[in-house]
């Protein structure tokens, strides 16, 4: 997915909203007489995606749970001039170390088994991948090596998000947004996919009875993207993938109660 563009007008508008005394995290669902209008969820998520993209690196902690079991991954991602990753992963084959450097993926398990792939065929290192290196295996590996800012940007652009209001996450007041999108619409408009990869991806979801994918996004003070969640419901059950994001640097002070 392409990195988020730099919407300077959008960021300026968001900064104006925060400096006029209205909290992005506690914006009311209806306008308050005499007060600034609430900021649409799409704009908040786009601004958070841009801020993370500008940071250039992050630590991610990912958990996927579903009918096929539980997978985890933790480590660092770097993007920009050079995309790199160093992650500890656990899946059906055990524990291993996934690294990305110069467009090359290496996954080495503790028992010595190793898998190697180019970035364009990242899905081939997934334990559930088929014989074809260009196929789709559920997006687990692609999720691990794609910057969360780029993923949030794609969600903001492709999913109609609604606000669930403010809630607590790790002791911080954050904004929670949710939406869903039909699979055909989401991947049918992805110009980064080749026709062959698009067909393989749509076929993977169709064979599992998945018609839509749900997304949740949590944004904290200072336009911090803190968590992304993807929910896939199909004939075999529900699979939920949660990515927690942390970056260096202190967050802006939490807004006062009442906005």
């Amino acid at each position: 997915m392409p990195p988020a563009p730099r919407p300077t007008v959008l960021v300026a508008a968001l900064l104006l909203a925060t400096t006029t005394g209205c909290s992005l995290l506690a914006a009311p669902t209806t306008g308050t007489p005499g007060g600034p209008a609430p900021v649409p969820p799409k704009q908040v998520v786009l601004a958070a995606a841009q801020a993370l993209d500008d940071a250039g690196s992050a630590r991610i902690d990912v958990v996927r749970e579903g009918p096929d079991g539980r997978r985890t991954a933790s480590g660092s991602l770097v993007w920009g001039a050079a995309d790199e990753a160093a992650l500890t992963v656990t899946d059906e084959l055990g524990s291993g170390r996934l690294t990305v450097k110069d467009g090359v993926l290496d996954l080495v398990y503790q028992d010595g088994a190793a898998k190697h792939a180019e970035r364009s065929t990242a899905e081939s290192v997934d334990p559930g991948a088929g014989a074809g290196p260009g196929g789709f295996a559920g997006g687990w590996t692609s999720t691990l090596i794609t910057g969360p800012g780029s993923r949030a940007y794609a969600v903001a652009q492709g999913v109609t998000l609604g606000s669930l209001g403010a809630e607590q996450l790790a002791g911080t007041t954050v904004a929670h947004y949710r939406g869903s999108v039909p699979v055909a619409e989401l991947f049918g408009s992805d110009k980064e996919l080749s026709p062959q990869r698009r067909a393989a991806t749509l076929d993977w979801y169709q064979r599992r009875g998945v018609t839509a994918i749900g997304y949740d996004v949590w944004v904290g003070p200072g336009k911090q993207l803190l968590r992304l969640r993807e929910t896939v419901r199909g004939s075999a059950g529900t699979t939920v993938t949660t990515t927690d994001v942390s970056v260096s640097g202190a967050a802006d002070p939490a807004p006062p109660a009442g906005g």
Side-chain angles (χ1 to χ4, degrees), residues 110-258:
Q110 288 182 341
D111 64 0
K115 296 185 178 184
H116 178 88
E118 300 296 320
R119 190 179 184 92
S120 60
T121 59
E123 294 282 299
S124 65
V125 304
D126 190 302
F136 186 74
W140 168 250
T141 308
S142 298
T143 293
L144 299 184
I145 67 173
T146 302
S150 292
R151 292 166 52 205
Y153 172 78
V155 170
Q157 291 289 71
V159 182
T160 300
L161 296 169
S163 175
L164 297 183
E167 62 183 57
Q168 292 293 304
L169 180 64
T172 301
T173 301
V174 303
H176 183 184
Y177 305 107
R178 175 176 292 169
S180 64
V181 61
V183 169
E185 179 179 323
L186 179 65
F187 293 104
S189 61
D190 191 341
K191 295 181 174 57
E192 295 296 307
L193 298 178
S194 67
Q196 294 80 8
R197 178 64 180 275
R198 183 180 297 108
T201 300
L202 293 175
D203 177 68
W204 190 92
Y205 284 108
Q206 289 168 355
R207 284 187 287 108
R208 288 161 176 78
V210 179
T211 59
I213 301 176
Y215 290 96
D216 288 79
V217 185
W218 286 262
V219 179
K223 300 192 295 289
Q224 285 190 306
L225 178 67
L226 298 177
R227 177 177 288 175
L228 286 167
R229 177 172 292 161
E230 179 185 277
T231 302
V232 177
R233 293 183 175 87
S235 55
T238 300
T239 299
V240 179
T241 305
T242 302
T243 302
D244 285 302
V245 185
S246 55
V247 296
S248 58
D252 291 350

Side-chain angles (χ1 to χ4, degrees), residues 69-133:
R70 188 174 191 266
R71 295 178 175 183
T72 65
S74 298
S76 61
L77 291 178
V78 177
W79 53 86
D83 290 343
E84 298 182 359
L87 302 163
T88 300
V89 303
T90 59
D91 56 31
E92 300 91 313
L93 301 183
S95 298
R97 185 75 170 170
L98 174 65
T99 59
V100 180
K101 190 172 181 62
D102 298 328
V104 176
L105 283 77
D106 286 290
L107 175 58
V108 180
Y109 290 93
Q110 288 182 341
D111 64 0
K115 296 185 178 184
H116 178 88
E118 300 296 320
R119 190 179 184 92
S120 60
T121 59
E123 294 282 299
S124 65
V125 304
D126 190 302

